[in-house]
């Protein structure tokens, strides 16, 4: 069952196509990464999911229903371009934003209280937002995003401006909510975060999806036959020729590229035959960052 | 609807509870009343120090008249000028007033005041009025004119309007003046309200855009709801402020005047010349005033008051939504939006100037059509209302205004909805046109 189905969605602006016939499914209860360089169409797509704009073509289905007026209440959206009323008090502001999401005064009050307690910031209630530091404001912004217990949370660069401690705090909350069944869409171009957090990703470029799937699977699909070997002595030069190539040489280990027509066993066998003592041996999988750069580069050509 | 109420509530309460609102709402009327009262105080008490002025009378004007005027004490002297100067040096007198001989062939008469200190404005006034009548009487006698025939010389010409068919409607020439003044006041008030609170809407919208809270908001509510909530909320702030001002001003005026022991009508003594005083005494003028009051009461207030409110709401809504669109289209620096603001201000200024001319000529072609044209109607029609324009014109104006306000809100919300998400740059007018016709 998908929490979200994007089906043949197109969004055109006067001079360009922002989202070009995009389709994918986001399974329920997953942390889903939406990646892509600036201008790839991520924000345009998110704005359609949050009903800020409408798709020109195609349809978006949230939890089995076509997008309708009740859906914005079930989504928590933390935009990349975000902010709060600087002159409004923290408590009043959170109450207001919670009530705009359809909570009653009473519900809103108790939920806001809960969150402030959770973050141990109950004494901020009557502080003005403008008096808080940027990181503190980010925390308030996060609470505002999730205060109404949405089914789906969309976070656009949620950790920008946060220090490592607060990053972890928010990360833990995201994971906790995810464990309780909340689906999360995580949009960023910080790849190391995606690798840590996301189970599944789509990679967008120029309005199209150029990669979609499970993070581990994508990594193994994109492996380049590179192996890291730690051993004593130097690499036998007679082995290099047309079969292997040293890609990287650090003082401790070598990264070897196995060329077409050969496999890792050939590499191991060659080394064993020459009586070289191997200390460690592992396959080097590409980082998402490398895949990202490579794929975006390919699709731009 | 519930969400619009929430937005209205926030817009209203954050403003009403702000320091600026409290200051302008409560201190401004107090300041105005204090300044006004102080002004009256100064003008009526004027130069409080008593002055003694010696008069050298070469014209015989001082005979048979009461020579005391407020704080001025006059002494008619027969000693020489040099001796008076000595008295002046000894500070026995404050100045010497020299009345030259009267020449009835001149219509000018120069009284010379010798002193190193000039007379206050009200003091010169007092001296002039002291001698004016005397000189007049002197000349009447010199020319051998009969007083009663003189009274008949100045003819009071008056065009008295008389209806031909509509005998029910009784109008007098004075009504025109009264209604044009009334219209002018209403027009200026409307213009100011639209301008002040309209630009508050613009700043409020732009602030949300600069804050970047707007994207958070419109993931919960429709841009249209956000815009309407803001426009209505700020409109209510305006109404609140005016209501408080009206109450405060009246309470304070009464309070301040009794505090200073002043009678506001004392102003009249100073500002009005003796001529008005004479007029006031005239029985005819009293009946005229009674007539004005009667005319005012005879106006169809049951129609006019609701229409004032109607045009206030319509005018505010039209311009506030336009200002909201400008605030949304403007970039991060609201000052860059000058050209867009001008476009909104232009019809409003036009309405204001046409309104002023409409107060004087309520039935001119320009007045009639601009009281029907919806961009100017909210200011011009209320001005014309006091002079009872034909019902079909009011009806037409009301209908076009309602249609137009709906159209305007729609138009503004189209621009608003796209502009609010365009960060960093200000939109050109051409672009705004595209936004209006682009799909969501």
């Amino acid at each position: 069952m998908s929490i979200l189905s994007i089906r043949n969605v197109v969004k055109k602006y006067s001079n360009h196509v922002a989202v070009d016939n995009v389709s994918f499914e986001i399974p329920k209860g997953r942390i889903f990464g939406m990646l892509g360089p600036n201008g790839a169409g991520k924000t345009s797509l998110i704005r359609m999911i949050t009903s800020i704009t409408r798709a020109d073509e195609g349809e978006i289905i949230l939890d089995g229903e076509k997008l309708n007026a009740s859906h914005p209440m079930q989504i928590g959206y933390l935009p990349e371009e975000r902010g709060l009323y600087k002159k409004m008090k923290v408590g009043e502001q959170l109450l207001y934003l919670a009530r705009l999401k359809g909570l009653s005064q009473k519900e809103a009050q108790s939920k806001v209280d809960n969150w402030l307690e959770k973050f141990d910031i109950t004494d901020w209630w009557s502080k003005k937002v403008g008096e808080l530091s940027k990181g503190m404001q980010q925390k308030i912004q996060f609470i505002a995003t999730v205060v109404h217990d949405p089914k789906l949370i969309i976070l656009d660069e949620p950790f920008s401006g946060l220090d490592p401690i607060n990053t972890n705090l928010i990360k833990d909350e995201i994971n906790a909510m995810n464990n309780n069944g909340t689906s999360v869409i995580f949009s960023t171009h910080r790849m190391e975060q995606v690798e840590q957090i996301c189970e599944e990703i789509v990679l967008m470029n120029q309005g199209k999806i150029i990669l979609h799937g499970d993070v581990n699977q994508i990594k193994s699909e994109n492996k380049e036959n590179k192996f890291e070997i730690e051993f004593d002595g130097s690499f036998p030069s007679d082995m290099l020729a047309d079969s292997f190539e040293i890609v990287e040489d650090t003082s401790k280990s070598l990264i070897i590229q196995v060329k077409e027509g050969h496999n890792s066993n050939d590499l191991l066998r060659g080394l064993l035959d020459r009586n070289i003592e191997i200390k460690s041996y592992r396959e080097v999988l590409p980082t998402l960052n490398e895949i990202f750069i490579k794929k975006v580069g390919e699709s731009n050509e | 609807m519930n969400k619009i109420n929430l937005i209205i509530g926030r817009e209203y309460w954050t403003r009403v509870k702000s320091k600026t609102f409290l200051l302008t709402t409560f201190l401004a009327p107090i300041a105005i009343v204090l300044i006004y009262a102080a002004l009256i105080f100064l003008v009526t008490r004027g130069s409080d120090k008593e002055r003694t002025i010696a008069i050298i009378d070469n014209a015989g004007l001082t005979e048979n008249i009461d020579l005391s005027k407020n704080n001025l004490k006059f002494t008619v002297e027969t000693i020489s000028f040099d001796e008076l100067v000595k008295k002046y040096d000894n500070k026995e007198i404050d100045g010497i007033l020299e009345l030259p001989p009267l020449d009835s062939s001149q219509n000018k008469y120069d009284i010379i005041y010798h002193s190193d200190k000039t007379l206050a404005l009200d003091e010169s006034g007092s001296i002039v009025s002291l001698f004016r009548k005397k000189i007049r009487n002197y000349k009447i006698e010199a020319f051998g004119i009969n007083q009663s025939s003189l009274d008949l010389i100045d003819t009071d010409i008056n065009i008295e309007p008389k209806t031909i068919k509509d005998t029910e409607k009784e109008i007098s020439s004075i009504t025109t003046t009264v209604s044009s003044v009334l219209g002018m006041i209403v027009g200026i008030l409307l213009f100011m309200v639209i301008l002040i609170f309209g630009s508050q809407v613009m700043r409020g919208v732009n602030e949300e855009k600069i804050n970047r809270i707007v994207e958070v908001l419109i993931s919960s509510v429709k841009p249209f709801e956000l815009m309407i909530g803001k426009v209505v909320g700020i409109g209510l702030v305006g109404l609140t402020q005016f209501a408080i001002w009206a109450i405060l001003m009246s309470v304070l005026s009464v309070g301040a005047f009794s505090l200073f022991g002043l009678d506001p009508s004392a102003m009249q003594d100073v500002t009005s010349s003796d001529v008005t005083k004479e007029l006031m005494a005239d029985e005819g003028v009293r009946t005229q005033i009674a007539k004005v009051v009667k005319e005012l009461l005879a106006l169809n207030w049951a129609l006019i008051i609701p229409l004032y409110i109607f045009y206030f709401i319509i005018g505010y809504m039209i311009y506030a939504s336009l200002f909201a669109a400008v605030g949304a289209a403007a970039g991060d620096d609201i000052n860059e939006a000058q050209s867009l603001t001008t476009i909104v201000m232009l019809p409003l200024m036009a309405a204001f100037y046409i309104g002023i001319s409409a107060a004087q000529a309520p039935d001119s072609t320009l007045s009639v059509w601009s009281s029907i044209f919806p961009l100017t109607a909210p200011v011009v029609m209320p001005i014309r209302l006091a002079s009872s324009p034909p019902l079909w014109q009011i009806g037409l104006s009301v209908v076009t205004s309602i249609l137009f306000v709906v159209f305007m809100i729609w138009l503004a919300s189209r621009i608003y909805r796209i502009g609010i998400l365009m960060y960093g740059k200000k939109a050109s007018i051409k672009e705004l046109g595209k936004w209006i016709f682009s799909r969501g």
Side-chain angles (χ1 to χ4, degrees), chain B residues 95-290:
Chain B
I96 306 155
L97 202 64
E98 192 184 340
L99 306 178
L102 262 177
D103 180 359
S104 48
S105 65
Q106 296 285 320
N107 69 344
K108 207 165 174 283
Y109 184 63
D110 292 324
I111 298 174
I112 302 157
Y113 181 66
H114 304 273
S115 176
D116 292 327
K117 282 186 199 133
T118 52
L119 287 168
L121 205 63
D122 62 325
E123 290 169 338
S124 338
S126 300
I127 293 171
V128 170
S129 65
L130 199 60
F131 298 116
R132 175 179 279 133
K133 202 162 186 184
K134 192 88 184 178
I135 294 169
R136 195 179 139 92
N137 290 340
Y138 171 84
K139 284 189 176 173
I140 289 171
E141 214 167 295
F143 295 144
I145 309 169
N146 181 317
Q147 176 67 44
S148 57
S149 43
L150 188 77
D151 286 344
L152 293 173
I153 277 187
D154 287 324
T155 316
D156 190 7
I157 302 172
N158 197 10
I159 300 174
E160 204 56 49
K162 199 146 213 139
T163 49
I164 297 176
K165 287 185 183 141
D166 192 357
T167 45
E168 294 271 300
K169 203 163 115 189
E170 203 184 309
I171 41 171
S172 73
S173 57
I174 229 152
T175 317
T176 332
T177 323
V178 170
S179 51
S180 77
V181 170
L182 181 70
M184 199 101 85
I185 293 170
V186 172
I188 290 173
L189 215 62
L190 271 174
F191 171 76
M192 274 172 34
V193 170
I194 291 172
L195 196 63
I196 293 170
F197 292 97
S199 47
Q200 270 205 33
V201 169
M202 178 171 75
R203 260 180 281 123
V205 168
N206 196 252
E207 199 186 303
E208 277 173 0
K209 191 174 167 177
I210 294 171
N211 273 351
R212 299 286 193 261
I213 195 175
V214 70
E215 199 161 341
V216 175
L217 293 175
I218 58 171
S219 68
S220 308
V221 298
K222 292 197 195 79
F224 179 76
E225 295 174 308
L226 194 58
M227 189 185 98
I228 288 296
K230 184 158 233 104
V231 167
V232 174
I234 292 177
L236 290 176
V237 174
L239 283 178
T240 310
Q241 191 158 48
F242 269 87
I244 295 175
W245 275 349
I247 296 166
L248 266 186
M249 290 287 266
S250 40
V251 171
L252 279 175
S253 313
V254 174
F257 286 126
S258 52
L259 186 73
F260 282 90
L262 292 176
D263 180 3
S265 60
M267 275 298 272
Q268 221 147 21
D269 286 345
V270 185
T271 50
S272 61
S273 61
D274 291 56
V275 185
T276 2
K277 265 193 216 158
E278 279 164 34
L279 275 174
M280 287 294 284
D282 192 349
E283 195 62 28
V285 174
R286 280 219 193 103
T287 45
Q288 287 257 295
I289 290 171

Side-chain angles (χ1 to χ4, degrees), chain A residues 83-250:
Chain A
L84 296 163
Y85 290 113
K86 297 265 181 290
K87 286 179 188 158
M88 229 176 151
K89 287 175 182 163
V90 169
E92 283 174 8
Q93 181 139 231
L94 285 173
L95 272 184
Y96 174 64
L97 292 172
R99 295 210 58 200
L100 280 187
K101 282 290 185 189
L103 297 188
S104 71
Q105 175 72 27
K106 222 173 141 190
E107 279 176 300
Q109 183 83 45
S110 82
K111 292 212 162 130
V112 169
D113 283 342
N114 277 345
W115 274 102
L116 291 181
E117 266 167 43
K118 202 179 267 183
F119 283 162
D120 202 18
I121 49 174
T122 38
D123 53 327
W124 290 7
W125 181 277
S126 49
K127 273 190 189 165
K128 282 185 181 158
V129 170
E131 296 166 8
L132 302 177
S133 74
K134 200 134 194 244
M136 289 163 146
Q137 290 184 25
Q138 286 275 61
K139 268 190 200 173
I140 305 298
Q141 193 101 50
F142 180 77
I143 296 176
T145 309
V146 297
V147 69
H148 57 294
D149 285 331
K151 276 184 199 172
L152 174 65
I153 304 173
I154 303 175
L155 307 167
D156 200 347
E157 300 290 356
F159 304 124
S160 69
L162 280 181
D163 62 39
I165 296 169
N166 283 318
T167 302
N168 277 334
L169 189 77
I170 302 277
K171 229 184 252 177
D172 289 346
E173 287 307 325
I174 295 173
N175 280 325
M177 281 186 290
N178 181 240
N179 290 337
N180 290 331
T182 311
S183 309
V184 181
I185 297 179
F186 183 61
S187 167
T188 184
H189 41 250
R190 302 268 307 272
M191 293 303 147
E192 75 282 0
Q193 289 173 355
V194 178
E195 271 177 272
Q196 283 170 19
I197 297 171
C198 299
E199 300 151 276
E200 197 177 326
I201 58 162
V202 285
L203 177 57
M204 287 183 77
N205 190 35
Q206 295 178 340
K208 291 196 176 80
I209 290 191
I210 53 175
L211 196 63
H212 176 204
D214 184 88
V215 173
N216 293 327
Q217 204 183 331
I218 287 177
K219 279 185 160 188
S220 60
E221 274 169 12
N222 284 278
K223 68 184 175 189
E224 294 163 307
N225 278 333
K226 282 182 190 166
F227 297 88
E228 187 180 9
I229 316 168
E230 220 180 309
F231 60 93
D232 286 329
S234 61
F235 195 80
S237 50
D238 59 312
M239 273 179 71
L240 286 172
D242 46 29
S243 324
F244 309 105
E245 190 189 327
I246 299 172
V247 193
E248 220 180 305
D249 187 354
T250 66

Side-chain angles (χ1 to χ4, degrees), chain B residues 16-32:
Chain B
V16 168
K17 282 196 238 158
S18 76
K19 284 196 194 88
T20 347
F21 179 85
L22 295 176
L23 280 178
T24 51
T25 310
F26 292 100
L27 285 189
I30 294 175
I32 290 171

Side-chain angles (χ1 to χ4, degrees), chain B residues 230-435:
Chain B
K230 184 158 233 104
V231 167
V232 174
I234 292 177
L236 290 176
V237 174
L239 283 178
T240 310
Q241 191 158 48
F242 269 87
I244 295 175
W245 275 349
I247 296 166
L248 266 186
M249 290 287 266
S250 40
V251 171
L252 279 175
S253 313
V254 174
F257 286 126
S258 52
L259 186 73
F260 282 90
L262 292 176
D263 180 3
S265 60
M267 275 298 272
Q268 221 147 21
D269 286 345
V270 185
T271 50
S272 61
S273 61
D274 291 56
V275 185
T276 2
K277 265 193 216 158
E278 279 164 34
L279 275 174
M280 287 294 284
D282 192 349
E283 195 62 28
V285 174
R286 280 219 193 103
T287 45
Q288 287 257 295
I289 290 171
K291 217 169 171 184
V292 170
V293 175
K294 208 182 120 204
E295 300 286 354
L296 270 178
L297 289 175
L299 281 173
N300 191 357
W301 290 108
L303 178 69
I304 290 179
I305 300 262
L307 279 172
Y308 279 165
I309 297 169
F310 169 82
Y311 281 109
F312 165 76
I313 293 170
I314 291 283
Y316 171 75
M317 290 298 277
I318 289 176
Y319 282 98
S321 51
L322 277 176
F323 274 118
V326 170
D332 278 358
D333 185 0
I334 188 82
N335 297 325
E336 284 174 17
Q338 211 61 57
S339 59
L340 292 174
T341 323
T342 316
I343 296 175
V344 181
M345 287 293 297
L346 230 53
L348 190 58
M349 294 303 291
F352 181 66
Y353 287 116
I354 294 171
I356 285 175
S357 85
Q360 286 144 15
D363 291 321
S364 71
T365 321
L366 179 69
S367 308
V368 169
W369 289 109
S370 31
S371 67
I372 292 167
F373 179 63
L375 271 175
T376 48
V379 174
V380 180
M381 191 47 117
I383 291 175
R384 289 187 65 215
L385 279 178
S387 37
S388 318
L391 274 177
W392 71 267
Q393 288 176 5
I394 300 178
L396 187 58
S397 167
V398 166
V399 171
T400 52
S401 296
I402 290 173
L403 292 178
F404 190 72
V405 79
V406 172
F407 168 72
M408 227 48 225
I409 290 172
W410 172 82
L411 186 89
S413 71
R414 303 287 293 176
I415 296 174
Y416 180 89
R417 140 202 89 113
I418 300 200
I420 206 81
L421 289 173
M422 295 276 174
Y423 304 120
K425 56 165 188 173
K426 105 177 162 74
S428 67
I429 291 148
K430 204 176 133 199
E431 241 173 305
L432 293 190
K434 275 191 208 156
W435 293 355

